[in-house]
Amino acid sequence: MTNKKNDRYTDEFKATTIQRMMPPKNEGVRQLSEELGVPEATLYSWRKKARMQGKATPGGKKHTEKWSSEDKFLIVMETFSMNQAELAAYCRKKGLFKEQIEAWKKTCLSANTQEENRTKALSIELKEEKKQARQLEKELRKKEKALAEAAALLLLRKKAQAIWGDLEEE
């Protein structure tokens, strides 16, 4: 299993182990680590590299509903150009249903549309917030002017009282 020369795992061993993490087996990293005596960190590293190469490796998540969106996307990418016969063979090999892949495909294809709609809604909301902020600033300036005018009138009244005295006393 290991190469005695530099104590590394052979490519064949890595490929076999990665294959066990892929559908239909979907064996978990912890289980494989205990069984094979390979550190979990090493298995996670192998799985990450396999994903970067475009392989779906959910590893331990038997139910496809619990798969990450990345794994589902990779399955869609693998099957996108397949005809019906190839897709059926792929599904049998991986233990998947054609309907699952079709649903994932629709989700992937509509992802940008949802993002676009969300962006439009945020843009409209931002415009409304800016409009409301301008209106509040306008009201604030108007109230500041009124307050300044009232303060000036009070100051003038006090000065007038200081100069001429209280007119009500006479």
Side-chain angles (χ1 to χ4, degrees), residues 116-161:
E116 185 179 312
N117 291 341
R118 194 173 325 150
T119 303
K120 285 181 183 178
L122 288 174
S123 177
I124 290 170
E125 188 177 329
L126 179 62
K127 284 180 184 179
E128 290 174 2
E129 292 290 331
K130 284 182 179 180
K131 183 178 178 182
Q132 186 179 8
R134 281 193 299 269
Q135 185 179 1
L136 289 172
E137 287 173 0
K138 185 177 178 182
E139 287 178 26
L140 181 61
R141 281 192 298 272
K142 195 182 288 186
K143 289 179 181 180
E144 285 176 344
K145 287 178 183 178
L147 184 60
E149 186 179 334
L153 287 174
L154 282 174
L155 186 63
L156 286 174
R157 182 182 292 167
K158 284 185 181 181
K159 284 185 179 184
Q161 284 177 348

Side-chain angles (χ1 to χ4, degrees), residues 17 20 30 48 58 74 152 158 162 168:
T17 305
R20 290 177 65 180
R30 181 172 288 143
K48 183 178 179 182
L74 290 171
K158 284 185 181 181
E168 295 175 0

Side-chain angles (χ1 to χ4, degrees), residues 31 45-46 89 124 162:
Q31 175 189 349
S45 172
W46 293 352
I124 290 170

